[in-house]
Amino acid sequence: MTSSKKSPSGATAPASRAASSSSTPTGNKDGKAKKPKLVRDSFTIPKDEYAAIETLKQRCAALAQPVKKSELLRAGLKVLTGMSDAALRKAVQAVPSIKTGRPKAEQAQAAPAPAPTPKKAASR
Protein backbone atom coordinates (compact mmCIF):
# COMPACT_ATOMS: atom_id res chain seq x y z
CA MET A 1 0.00 0.00 0.00
CA THR A 2 2.83 2.43 0.67
CA SER A 3 4.02 2.14 -2.92
CA SER A 4 0.69 3.49 -4.22
CA LYS A 5 1.08 6.63 -2.09
CA LYS A 6 4.44 7.35 -3.68
CA SER A 7 3.09 7.07 -7.23
CA PRO A 8 4.19 10.09 -9.28
CA SER A 9 0.79 10.53 -10.91
CA GLY A 10 -1.05 10.47 -7.60
CA ALA A 11 -4.00 8.75 -9.27
CA THR A 12 -4.00 5.72 -7.00
CA ALA A 13 -3.08 7.47 -3.75
CA PRO A 14 -6.50 9.07 -2.99
CA ALA A 15 -8.33 5.79 -3.64
CA SER A 16 -5.99 3.83 -1.39
CA ARG A 17 -6.24 6.45 1.36
CA ALA A 18 -10.03 6.47 1.14
CA ALA A 19 -10.15 2.68 1.37
CA SER A 20 -7.70 2.49 4.24
CA SER A 21 -9.19 5.37 6.23
CA SER A 22 -12.59 3.72 6.45
CA SER A 23 -11.09 0.64 8.10
CA THR A 24 -8.74 2.48 10.45
CA PRO A 25 -9.76 3.87 13.82
CA THR A 26 -8.82 7.39 12.64
CA GLY A 27 -11.47 7.29 9.88
CA ASN A 28 -14.84 9.01 10.14
CA LYS A 29 -16.29 7.52 13.32
CA ASP A 30 -19.65 9.25 12.97
CA GLY A 31 -20.25 7.97 9.45
CA LYS A 32 -20.25 11.53 8.09
CA ALA A 33 -19.36 12.04 4.46
CA LYS A 34 -15.99 13.63 3.72
CA LYS A 35 -16.00 17.30 2.80
CA PRO A 36 -15.69 17.88 -0.94
CA LYS A 37 -12.37 19.18 -2.21
CA LEU A 38 -12.58 22.92 -2.83
CA VAL A 39 -11.22 24.75 -5.86
CA ARG A 40 -10.37 28.46 -6.08
CA ASP A 41 -10.91 30.22 -9.37
CA SER A 42 -11.28 33.74 -10.70
CA PHE A 43 -13.31 35.11 -13.56
CA THR A 44 -14.39 38.32 -15.23
CA ILE A 45 -18.00 39.45 -14.99
CA PRO A 46 -19.77 42.59 -16.26
CA LYS A 47 -20.51 45.21 -13.60
CA ASP A 48 -24.29 44.95 -13.95
CA GLU A 49 -24.20 41.18 -13.44
CA TYR A 50 -21.86 41.61 -10.47
CA ALA A 51 -24.33 44.14 -9.04
CA ALA A 52 -27.08 41.53 -9.47
CA ILE A 53 -25.18 39.31 -7.04
CA GLU A 54 -25.40 42.02 -4.38
CA THR A 55 -29.10 42.51 -5.11
CA LEU A 56 -29.73 38.78 -4.71
CA LYS A 57 -27.73 38.75 -1.47
CA GLN A 58 -29.95 41.54 -0.13
CA ARG A 59 -33.11 39.70 -1.21
CA CYS A 60 -31.92 36.56 0.55
CA ALA A 61 -31.12 38.54 3.68
CA ALA A 62 -34.67 39.98 3.61
CA LEU A 63 -35.94 36.39 3.43
CA ALA A 64 -33.95 35.58 6.59
CA GLN A 65 -31.55 33.47 4.51
CA PRO A 66 -28.23 35.37 4.30
CA VAL A 67 -25.87 33.97 1.67
CA LYS A 68 -22.36 34.50 0.34
CA LYS A 69 -21.48 35.17 -3.29
CA SER A 70 -20.16 31.66 -3.73
CA GLU A 71 -23.38 30.19 -2.33
CA LEU A 72 -25.44 32.19 -4.83
CA LEU A 73 -23.25 31.02 -7.70
CA ARG A 74 -23.52 27.42 -6.53
CA ALA A 75 -27.31 27.75 -6.24
CA GLY A 76 -27.38 29.06 -9.81
CA LEU A 77 -25.36 26.05 -10.95
CA LYS A 78 -27.86 23.73 -9.28
CA VAL A 79 -30.71 25.47 -11.10
CA LEU A 80 -28.87 25.21 -14.44
CA THR A 81 -28.06 21.56 -13.81
CA GLY A 82 -31.75 20.78 -13.34
CA MET A 83 -32.79 22.38 -16.65
CA SER A 84 -33.61 20.51 -19.80
CA ASP A 85 -31.10 20.77 -22.65
CA ALA A 86 -33.36 23.20 -24.54
CA ALA A 87 -33.82 25.45 -21.49
CA LEU A 88 -30.09 25.35 -20.73
CA ARG A 89 -29.23 26.30 -24.31
CA LYS A 90 -31.70 29.21 -24.17
CA ALA A 91 -30.26 30.44 -20.85
CA VAL A 92 -26.67 30.24 -22.09
CA GLN A 93 -27.54 32.02 -25.34
CA ALA A 94 -29.06 34.87 -23.31
CA VAL A 95 -25.66 35.57 -21.74
CA PRO A 96 -23.42 37.70 -23.97
CA SER A 97 -19.88 36.47 -24.49
CA ILE A 98 -17.18 38.65 -22.97
CA LYS A 99 -13.48 38.96 -23.54
CA THR A 100 -11.49 36.79 -21.15
CA GLY A 101 -8.63 38.00 -19.00
CA ARG A 102 -8.20 40.86 -16.61
CA PRO A 103 -9.89 44.12 -17.60
CA LYS A 104 -7.68 47.14 -18.08
CA ALA A 105 -7.71 49.61 -15.23
CA GLU A 106 -10.47 52.19 -15.68
CA GLN A 107 -8.23 55.00 -14.45
CA ALA A 108 -5.69 54.26 -17.18
CA GLN A 109 -8.43 54.42 -19.82
CA ALA A 110 -10.01 57.63 -18.46
CA ALA A 111 -6.83 59.71 -18.22
CA PRO A 112 -3.50 58.87 -19.78
CA ALA A 113 -0.69 58.33 -17.35
CA PRO A 114 1.68 61.26 -16.91
CA ALA A 115 4.75 61.10 -19.07
CA PRO A 116 7.74 59.72 -17.22
CA THR A 117 10.30 62.32 -16.24
CA PRO A 118 13.51 61.99 -18.21
CA LYS A 119 16.48 60.79 -16.24
CA LYS A 120 19.31 63.22 -15.74
CA ALA A 121 22.18 62.68 -18.08
CA ALA A 122 25.28 61.35 -16.42
CA SER A 123 27.77 64.14 -15.85
CA ARG A 124 31.13 63.77 -17.52
Side-chain angles (χ1 to χ4, degrees):
M1 241 198 260
T2 55
S3 63
S4 65
K5 288 183 182 178
K6 294 180 182 177
S7 124
S9 67
T12 57
S16 64
R17 273 187 257 138
S20 64
S21 66
S22 62
S23 61
T24 60
T26 59
N28 289 337
K29 295 178 183 178
D30 299 333
K32 294 180 183 177
K34 287 188 175 184
K35 291 183 181 180
K37 185 170 181 163
L38 303 177
V39 178
R40 288 196 51 86
D41 197 358
S42 63
F43 53 89
T44 303
I45 185 170
K47 270 188 175 181
D48 59 334
E49 292 174 13
Y50 191 79
I53 294 173
E54 189 59 36
T55 302
L56 288 169
K57 284 177 63 174
Q58 291 172 356
R59 283 178 61 188
C60 288
L63 296 169
Q65 183 66 48
V67 294
K68 299 174 184 173
K69 281 188 289 189
S70 64
E71 292 168 338
L72 277 175
L73 295 174
R74 290 171 45 220
L77 288 173
K78 287 196 176 279
V79 171
L80 289 171
T81 302
M83 289 182 170
S84 67
D85 289 347
L88 176 62
R89 171 180 260 166
K90 188 175 181 179
V92 171
Q93 287 175 342
V95 177
S97 198
I98 59 174
K99 196 174 188 181
T100 59
R102 292 187 179 266
K104 293 182 180 179
E106 289 181 28
Q107 190 178 31
Q109 290 177 355
T117 57
K119 294 182 179 180
K120 293 182 180 180
S123 57
R124 292 184 188 187

